[in-house]
Amino acid sequence: MTTNSQYSNNSQPSCIVLCTTNSQESAIKIAQYLLDNQLATCVSLLPEIISLYLWQGNITKDKEVLLLIKTTQSNQLSIFEAIKKIHPYETPELIRLDPSQVEDNYLQWLINSVK
């Protein structure tokens, strides 16, 4: 098991980007773009989540799809920019999570699969 703190300057720590969108079609479009451009190794879609959130002073309840985007920290800014260009929301959810540990074989596959 490798921790993100064990990396040298030449290594690429992994991260997970969270993003929600309004439909399965939108989620697939985003995932396909990220994979086609080797910005992500894997995008998992969790359909039919219910999100309650504050928007313009009101509590809003929507069905959404959650994307779990597996990538490297060095790709995070490119992913944020790409999603902002194609996302249907005015303010898409874009959150980077930095895992403290990643299994070595999975991490190597992840690093080898992205730019």
Side-chain angles (χ1 to χ4, degrees):
M1 194 72 63
T2 301
T3 65
N4 268 345
S5 62
Q6 292 176 322
Y7 285 93
S8 68
N9 291 337
N10 296 331
S11 297
Q12 298 185 55
S14 64
C15 69
I16 298 169
V17 173
L18 301 180
C19 178
T20 54
T21 191
N22 61 346
S23 68
Q24 190 80 4
E25 293 78 23
S26 175
I28 291 170
K29 178 181 176 182
I30 292 167
Q32 190 70 51
Y33 181 88
L34 297 176
L35 294 168
D36 285 345
N37 289 281
Q38 293 183 290
L39 294 172
T41 286
C42 175
V43 181
S44 300
L45 308 179
L46 285 74
E48 291 290 322
I49 64 168
I50 302 295
S51 294
L52 286 91
Y53 55 93
L54 291 172
W55 182 250
Q56 299 177 341
N58 297 307
I59 297 175
T60 302
K61 178 182 171 186
D62 282 320
K63 289 183 180 179
E64 294 187 298
V65 177
L66 174 63
L67 291 85
L68 301 175
I69 303 162
K70 281 73 105 187
T71 190
T72 57
Q73 290 180 8
S74 62
N75 281 336
Q76 178 245 306
L77 289 177
S78 296
I79 287 173
F80 279 23
E81 291 306 312
I83 290 174
K84 285 185 218 177
K85 289 178 184 174
I86 61 176
H87 203 287
Y89 291 173
E90 178 182 332
T91 307
E93 173 186 20
L94 295 168
I95 300 171
R96 182 179 98 184
L97 302 176
D98 298 327
S100 62
Q101 294 187 339
V102 181
E103 194 278 325
D104 293 330
N105 292 325
Y106 183 86
L107 179 60
Q108 195 58 53
W109 169 74
L110 186 148
I111 290 168
N112 291 339
S113 297
V114 295
K115 289 183 187 176

